[in-house]
Amino acid sequence: MTDRVAIIGAGAWGTALALAFARAGRAVTLWGRDAARMQAMANSRTCGEILPGIALEPGIRPVSALAELAAHPLIVMAVPTQALWTMARQLRGEVAPTAIILSAAKGIERETGYFVTESMADALGPHRFGVLSGPSFAADVARGLPTAIVLALAEAETAERIAQALSGPGFRVYHSTDIRGVEIGGAAKNVLAIAAGIVAGMGLGESARAAMIARGFAELRRFAASHGARPETLMGLSGLGDLVLTASSPQSRNYALGLALGAGKPLAAANPSGKLAEGAFTAAILADMAARRQVEMPIVTAVARVLAGAISVPDAVRELMSRPLRAE
Protein backbone atom coordinates (compact mmCIF):
# COMPACT_ATOMS: atom_id res chain seq x y z
CA MET A 1 0.00 0.00 0.00
CA THR A 2 3.01 2.34 0.25
CA ASP A 3 4.71 1.70 -3.09
CA ARG A 4 2.91 4.66 -4.65
CA VAL A 5 2.66 8.08 -2.99
CA ALA A 6 0.95 11.22 -4.26
CA ILE A 7 2.05 14.64 -3.03
CA ILE A 8 -0.33 17.58 -3.39
CA GLY A 9 1.65 20.80 -3.67
CA ALA A 10 4.82 21.23 -5.71
CA GLY A 11 6.34 24.02 -3.64
CA ALA A 12 9.72 23.66 -1.99
CA TRP A 13 8.49 21.40 0.82
CA GLY A 14 6.29 19.17 -1.33
CA THR A 15 9.08 18.75 -3.88
CA ALA A 16 11.64 18.04 -1.16
CA LEU A 17 9.37 15.33 0.26
CA ALA A 18 8.95 13.87 -3.22
CA LEU A 19 12.74 13.64 -3.52
CA ALA A 20 13.07 11.94 -0.13
CA PHE A 21 10.31 9.42 -0.82
CA ALA A 22 11.69 8.62 -4.28
CA ARG A 23 15.13 7.99 -2.76
CA ALA A 24 13.40 5.54 -0.42
CA GLY A 25 12.23 3.60 -3.48
CA ARG A 26 8.66 4.90 -3.73
CA ALA A 27 6.96 5.86 -6.98
CA VAL A 28 5.91 9.47 -6.40
CA THR A 29 3.29 11.51 -8.25
CA LEU A 30 3.90 15.20 -7.59
CA TRP A 31 0.87 17.38 -8.28
CA GLY A 32 1.02 21.13 -8.89
CA ARG A 33 -1.70 23.44 -10.18
CA ASP A 34 0.52 25.21 -12.76
CA ALA A 35 0.40 22.89 -15.78
CA ALA A 36 3.20 24.67 -17.64
CA ARG A 37 5.54 24.53 -14.65
CA MET A 38 4.84 20.84 -14.00
CA GLN A 39 5.47 20.04 -17.66
CA ALA A 40 8.72 22.00 -17.51
CA MET A 41 9.80 19.96 -14.47
CA ALA A 42 8.93 16.74 -16.29
CA ASN A 43 10.87 17.80 -19.38
CA SER A 44 13.96 19.19 -17.64
CA ARG A 45 13.98 16.63 -14.78
CA THR A 46 14.98 19.41 -12.42
CA CYS A 47 13.20 21.11 -9.52
CA GLY A 48 13.42 24.50 -11.23
CA GLU A 49 13.65 27.78 -9.39
CA ILE A 50 12.13 26.53 -6.13
CA LEU A 51 15.11 24.25 -5.41
CA PRO A 52 17.86 25.44 -7.76
CA GLY A 53 20.45 22.93 -8.86
CA ILE A 54 18.50 19.88 -7.62
CA ALA A 55 17.65 17.15 -10.14
CA LEU A 56 14.36 15.26 -9.94
CA GLU A 57 14.74 11.65 -8.90
CA PRO A 58 13.74 9.15 -11.61
CA GLY A 59 10.80 7.91 -9.52
CA ILE A 60 9.03 11.30 -9.50
CA ARG A 61 6.26 12.03 -12.01
CA PRO A 62 5.12 15.70 -12.11
CA VAL A 63 1.43 16.14 -13.04
CA SER A 64 -1.22 18.88 -12.98
CA ALA A 65 -4.44 16.84 -13.32
CA LEU A 66 -6.18 15.73 -10.12
CA ALA A 67 -7.47 12.63 -11.94
CA GLU A 68 -3.88 11.33 -11.80
CA LEU A 69 -4.29 10.80 -8.04
CA ALA A 70 -7.15 8.30 -8.11
CA ALA A 71 -5.13 5.10 -7.67
CA HIS A 72 -2.78 6.25 -4.93
CA PRO A 73 -3.19 4.62 -1.49
CA LEU A 74 -1.21 7.37 0.28
CA ILE A 75 -1.71 11.10 -0.25
CA VAL A 76 0.46 13.80 1.33
CA MET A 77 -0.97 17.33 1.43
CA ALA A 78 1.98 19.74 1.23
CA VAL A 79 -0.02 22.96 1.03
CA PRO A 80 -0.22 25.86 3.55
CA THR A 81 -2.60 25.39 6.45
CA GLN A 82 -4.88 28.25 5.42
CA ALA A 83 -5.30 26.68 1.95
CA LEU A 84 -5.65 23.11 3.20
CA TRP A 85 -9.46 22.93 3.45
CA THR A 86 -9.96 24.37 -0.03
CA MET A 87 -7.43 22.00 -1.59
CA ALA A 88 -8.81 18.99 0.28
CA ARG A 89 -12.31 19.86 -0.90
CA GLN A 90 -11.11 19.62 -4.50
CA LEU A 91 -10.01 16.04 -3.85
CA ARG A 92 -13.55 14.82 -3.18
CA GLY A 93 -14.24 12.12 -5.72
CA GLU A 94 -10.65 12.24 -6.99
CA VAL A 95 -8.99 9.94 -4.44
CA ALA A 96 -9.90 6.44 -3.32
CA PRO A 97 -12.08 6.23 -0.19
CA THR A 98 -9.49 3.87 1.30
CA ALA A 99 -6.62 6.31 0.79
CA ILE A 100 -4.66 7.47 3.83
CA ILE A 101 -4.22 11.25 3.77
CA LEU A 102 -1.40 13.00 5.61
CA SER A 103 -0.89 16.73 6.08
CA ALA A 104 2.62 18.16 5.95
CA ALA A 105 1.38 21.63 7.01
CA LYS A 106 2.15 23.21 10.40
CA GLY A 107 -0.54 25.54 11.66
CA ILE A 108 -4.10 26.04 12.86
CA GLU A 109 -6.87 27.24 10.57
CA ARG A 110 -7.47 30.79 11.73
CA GLU A 111 -11.16 31.03 10.77
CA THR A 112 -12.30 27.80 12.46
CA GLY A 113 -9.60 26.82 14.94
CA TYR A 114 -9.28 23.48 13.15
CA PHE A 115 -6.10 21.52 13.47
CA VAL A 116 -4.90 20.20 10.11
CA THR A 117 -6.47 16.74 10.40
CA GLU A 118 -9.77 18.34 11.44
CA SER A 119 -9.66 20.64 8.44
CA MET A 120 -9.06 17.74 6.04
CA ALA A 121 -11.80 15.64 7.65
CA ASP A 122 -14.31 18.48 7.37
CA ALA A 123 -13.47 18.98 3.70
CA LEU A 124 -13.12 15.38 2.59
CA GLY A 125 -15.35 13.27 4.80
CA PRO A 126 -14.45 9.77 6.02
CA HIS A 127 -10.81 8.86 5.49
CA ARG A 128 -7.86 7.97 7.65
CA PHE A 129 -5.98 11.18 8.38
CA GLY A 130 -2.55 11.79 9.83
CA VAL A 131 0.25 14.32 9.92
CA LEU A 132 3.95 14.64 9.05
CA SER A 133 5.99 17.06 11.14
CA GLY A 134 9.39 17.63 12.67
CA PRO A 135 12.60 19.69 12.37
CA SER A 136 13.22 19.98 8.64
CA PHE A 137 14.13 22.58 6.06
CA ALA A 138 13.18 21.86 2.46
CA ALA A 139 16.66 22.71 1.18
CA ASP A 140 18.29 20.22 3.57
CA VAL A 141 15.89 17.41 2.65
CA ALA A 142 16.27 18.14 -1.07
CA ARG A 143 20.05 17.90 -0.80
CA GLY A 144 19.82 14.61 1.08
CA LEU A 145 21.23 15.97 4.33
CA PRO A 146 20.38 13.93 7.46
CA THR A 147 16.84 14.73 8.62
CA ALA A 148 14.34 13.07 10.97
CA ILE A 149 10.60 13.73 11.14
CA VAL A 150 7.51 12.14 12.69
CA LEU A 151 4.46 10.51 11.10
CA ALA A 152 1.39 10.46 13.35
CA LEU A 153 -1.56 8.21 12.59
CA ALA A 154 -4.19 6.66 14.87
CA GLU A 155 -3.34 3.06 13.92
CA ALA A 156 0.08 2.21 15.35
CA GLU A 157 0.87 -0.69 13.00
CA THR A 158 -0.09 1.30 9.91
CA ALA A 159 1.92 4.30 11.10
CA GLU A 160 4.98 2.10 11.61
CA ARG A 161 4.62 0.45 8.21
CA ILE A 162 4.29 3.77 6.36
CA ALA A 163 7.16 5.33 8.33
CA GLN A 164 9.45 2.47 7.36
CA ALA A 165 8.39 2.70 3.71
CA LEU A 166 9.07 6.46 3.52
CA SER A 167 12.45 6.30 5.27
CA GLY A 168 15.54 6.27 3.12
CA PRO A 169 19.16 7.38 2.95
CA GLY A 170 19.52 10.43 5.18
CA PHE A 171 15.77 10.65 5.85
CA ARG A 172 14.34 8.94 8.94
CA VAL A 173 10.62 8.84 9.66
CA TYR A 174 9.61 8.00 13.23
CA HIS A 175 6.01 7.07 14.02
CA SER A 176 3.47 8.06 16.66
CA THR A 177 -0.24 7.72 17.42
CA ASP A 178 -0.39 11.13 19.15
CA ILE A 179 -1.83 13.09 16.24
CA ARG A 180 -2.90 16.09 18.31
CA GLY A 181 0.45 16.39 20.07
CA VAL A 182 2.33 16.37 16.75
CA GLU A 183 -0.08 18.93 15.27
CA ILE A 184 0.26 21.29 18.23
CA GLY A 185 4.05 21.07 18.27
CA GLY A 186 4.23 22.01 14.60
CA ALA A 187 1.76 24.88 14.92
CA ALA A 188 2.93 26.50 18.15
CA LYS A 189 6.64 26.39 17.37
CA ASN A 190 6.11 28.71 14.39
CA VAL A 191 4.68 31.42 16.63
CA LEU A 192 7.48 30.96 19.16
CA ALA A 193 10.05 31.18 16.35
CA ILE A 194 8.74 34.67 15.56
CA ALA A 195 9.33 35.60 19.20
CA ALA A 196 12.88 34.18 19.05
CA GLY A 197 13.57 36.20 15.93
CA ILE A 198 12.30 39.36 17.62
CA VAL A 199 14.69 38.80 20.53
CA ALA A 200 17.61 38.34 18.12
CA GLY A 201 16.56 41.27 15.94
CA MET A 202 16.50 43.57 18.95
CA GLY A 203 20.03 42.50 19.88
CA LEU A 204 18.97 41.23 23.30
CA GLY A 205 21.59 38.47 23.30
CA GLU A 206 21.78 34.70 23.26
CA SER A 207 20.86 34.39 26.94
CA ALA A 208 17.56 36.13 26.30
CA ARG A 209 16.85 33.99 23.26
CA ALA A 210 17.57 30.80 25.21
CA ALA A 211 15.24 31.95 28.01
CA MET A 212 12.53 32.77 25.48
CA ILE A 213 12.79 29.33 23.86
CA ALA A 214 12.63 27.57 27.24
CA ARG A 215 9.66 29.59 28.51
CA GLY A 216 7.97 29.33 25.13
CA PHE A 217 8.35 25.57 25.23
CA ALA A 218 6.66 25.58 28.64
CA GLU A 219 3.71 27.40 27.02
CA LEU A 220 3.60 24.88 24.18
CA ARG A 221 3.50 21.97 26.63
CA ARG A 222 0.72 23.55 28.72
CA PHE A 223 -1.42 24.07 25.64
CA ALA A 224 -0.75 20.56 24.37
CA ALA A 225 -1.60 19.07 27.76
CA SER A 226 -4.97 20.85 27.68
CA HIS A 227 -5.70 18.89 24.48
CA GLY A 228 -4.64 15.54 25.89
CA ALA A 229 -1.29 15.37 24.07
CA ARG A 230 1.38 13.11 25.51
CA PRO A 231 4.37 14.83 27.19
CA GLU A 232 6.88 12.61 25.39
CA THR A 233 5.51 13.78 22.03
CA LEU A 234 6.34 17.38 22.85
CA MET A 235 9.81 16.40 24.10
CA GLY A 236 10.52 14.77 20.75
CA LEU A 237 11.12 15.77 17.15
CA SER A 238 7.75 17.40 16.47
CA GLY A 239 7.89 19.55 19.62
CA LEU A 240 11.23 20.50 21.14
CA GLY A 241 13.21 19.38 18.08
CA ASP A 242 11.24 21.51 15.66
CA LEU A 243 11.22 24.49 18.05
CA VAL A 244 15.01 24.42 18.44
CA LEU A 245 15.51 24.38 14.67
CA THR A 246 12.90 26.99 13.79
CA ALA A 247 13.82 29.36 16.61
CA SER A 248 17.51 29.45 15.80
CA SER A 249 17.98 29.79 12.05
CA PRO A 250 17.25 32.58 9.55
CA GLN A 251 16.35 29.78 7.11
CA SER A 252 13.08 29.66 9.05
CA ARG A 253 10.59 32.08 7.54
CA ASN A 254 9.04 32.63 10.97
CA TYR A 255 12.38 33.40 12.63
CA ALA A 256 13.29 35.69 9.72
CA LEU A 257 9.99 37.56 10.15
CA GLY A 258 10.74 38.03 13.84
CA LEU A 259 14.27 39.23 13.05
CA ALA A 260 12.86 41.95 10.83
CA LEU A 261 10.25 43.00 13.39
CA GLY A 262 12.87 43.07 16.15
CA ALA A 263 15.10 45.25 13.97
CA GLY A 264 12.32 47.83 13.81
CA LYS A 265 10.75 47.10 10.43
CA PRO A 266 6.97 47.52 10.19
CA LEU A 267 5.01 44.33 9.54
CA ALA A 268 4.28 45.32 5.94
CA ALA A 269 8.01 45.54 5.21
CA ALA A 270 9.16 42.66 7.42
CA ASN A 271 8.64 39.99 4.77
CA PRO A 272 9.69 41.52 1.44
CA SER A 273 10.19 38.10 -0.20
CA GLY A 274 6.51 37.31 0.27
CA LYS A 275 7.39 33.80 1.47
CA LEU A 276 4.82 32.25 3.77
CA ALA A 277 5.42 32.48 7.52
CA GLU A 278 2.74 30.18 8.94
CA GLY A 279 3.18 31.56 12.46
CA ALA A 280 1.83 34.94 11.37
CA PHE A 281 -1.51 33.29 10.61
CA THR A 282 -1.48 30.95 13.61
CA ALA A 283 -0.61 33.43 16.38
CA ALA A 284 -4.02 35.04 16.88
CA ILE A 285 -6.07 31.83 16.78
CA LEU A 286 -3.58 30.04 19.06
CA ALA A 287 -3.74 32.87 21.60
CA ASP A 288 -7.54 32.84 21.42
CA MET A 289 -7.77 29.07 21.87
CA ALA A 290 -5.41 29.25 24.84
CA ALA A 291 -7.47 31.99 26.47
CA ARG A 292 -10.68 29.99 26.05
CA ARG A 293 -9.05 27.02 27.76
CA GLN A 294 -7.50 29.28 30.42
CA VAL A 295 -3.99 28.24 29.42
CA GLU A 296 -1.33 30.87 30.11
CA MET A 297 0.62 31.66 26.93
CA PRO A 298 2.07 35.17 27.45
CA ILE A 299 4.73 34.88 24.73
CA VAL A 300 2.25 33.65 22.13
CA THR A 301 -0.20 36.37 23.17
CA ALA A 302 2.50 39.04 22.87
CA VAL A 303 3.38 37.87 19.35
CA ALA A 304 -0.29 37.92 18.36
CA ARG A 305 -0.68 41.49 19.67
CA VAL A 306 2.46 42.67 17.85
CA LEU A 307 1.25 41.16 14.58
CA ALA A 308 -2.16 42.77 15.07
CA GLY A 309 -0.57 46.19 15.64
CA ALA A 310 -1.99 46.35 19.16
CA ILE A 311 1.40 46.83 20.82
CA SER A 312 4.91 47.79 19.74
CA VAL A 313 7.74 45.28 19.86
CA PRO A 314 9.65 47.14 22.64
CA ASP A 315 6.48 47.45 24.74
CA ALA A 316 5.71 43.76 24.30
CA VAL A 317 9.20 42.87 25.55
CA ARG A 318 8.84 45.22 28.52
CA GLU A 319 5.50 43.65 29.45
CA LEU A 320 6.96 40.15 29.33
CA MET A 321 9.97 41.16 31.43
CA SER A 322 7.76 42.79 34.08
CA ARG A 323 5.51 39.78 34.64
CA PRO A 324 5.44 38.54 38.26
CA LEU A 325 8.15 36.06 39.16
CA ARG A 326 6.96 32.50 39.74
CA ALA A 327 8.27 29.00 40.33
CA GLU A 328 9.41 27.30 37.15
Side-chain angles (χ1 to χ4, degrees):
M1 69 169 290
T2 50
D3 287 341
R4 289 171 294 118
V5 183
I7 298 179
I8 311 297
W13 184 226
T15 304
L17 287 175
L19 292 165
F21 298 163
R23 290 168 187 152
R26 304 310 115 202
V28 182
T29 300
L30 177 62
W31 179 90
R33 67 176 66 254
D34 186 333
R37 177 169 166 264
M38 301 313 290
Q39 189 60 56
M41 289 178 72
N43 292 341
S44 69
R45 301 307 300 172
T46 68
C47 298
E49 72 282 357
I50 59 164
L51 292 168
I54 305 292
L56 278 187
E57 294 290 330
I60 299 174
R61 185 168 64 97
V63 303
S64 58
L66 289 175
E68 299 275 4
L69 311 176
H72 291 76
L74 182 63
I75 311 287
V76 177
M77 304 283 288
V79 299
T81 302
Q82 308 309 321
L84 186 60
W85 188 95
T86 300
M87 187 67 244
R89 192 71 171 182
Q90 293 179 48
L91 296 182
R92 278 193 175 227
E94 300 289 354
V95 299
T98 56
I100 294 173
I101 304 176
L102 307 177
S103 170
K106 299 175 181 180
I108 299 171
E109 194 173 89
R110 58 180 173 177
E111 297 297 329
T112 62
Y114 283 158
F115 294 104
V116 290
T117 53
E118 293 175 322
S119 181
M120 293 189 300
D122 185 70
L124 264 170
H127 276 278
R128 285 181 288 175
F129 297 102
V131 61
L132 284 170
S133 192
S136 47
F137 288 141
D140 292 348
V141 173
R143 292 166 58 199
L145 299 178
T147 305
I149 66 170
V150 179
L151 185 156
L153 197 67
E155 303 92 349
E157 290 184 6
T158 305
E160 181 178 6
R161 185 166 67 252
I162 296 174
Q164 289 178 347
L166 298 182
S167 295
F171 191 75
R172 293 177 61 85
V173 183
Y174 290 77
H175 56 91
S176 171
T177 57
D178 187 4
I179 294 173
R180 189 66 76 239
V182 172
E183 288 177 309
I184 288 173
K189 63 90 185 177
N190 281 334
V191 181
L192 296 171
I194 295 174
I198 287 173
V199 169
M202 293 183 71
L204 300 181
E206 291 302 306
S207 299
R209 187 169 65 87
M212 196 292 307
I213 291 173
R215 295 311 307 160
F217 183 58
E219 294 187 16
L220 187 159
R221 290 189 65 180
R222 286 197 295 269
F223 184 78
S226 76
H227 284 80
R230 297 197 292 265
E232 60 268 27
T233 302
L234 284 307
M235 292 299 298
L237 292 166
S238 60
L240 181 60
D242 210 356
L243 175 61
V244 168
L245 176 70
T246 315
S248 59
S249 172
Q251 284 190 70
S252 161
R253 296 169 182 178
N254 295 285
Y255 184 79
L257 173 62
L259 274 174
L261 293 172
K265 292 185 179 180
L267 181 59
N271 186 21
S273 69
K275 291 182 177 179
L276 177 71
E278 288 268 27
F281 297 100
T282 301
I285 185 62
L286 179 58
D288 182 62
M289 292 169 71
R292 282 188 270 121
R293 287 177 175 259
Q294 297 184 314
V295 176
E296 266 197 302
M297 298 188 83
I299 296 173
V300 167
T301 300
V303 171
R305 293 178 67 203
V306 166
L307 294 173
I311 192 172
S312 69
V313 167
D315 284 346
V317 171
R318 277 191 288 271
E319 282 193 8
L320 288 171
M321 291 302 293
S322 63
R323 283 173 53 81
L325 296 173
R326 51 180 290 180
E328 188 173 37

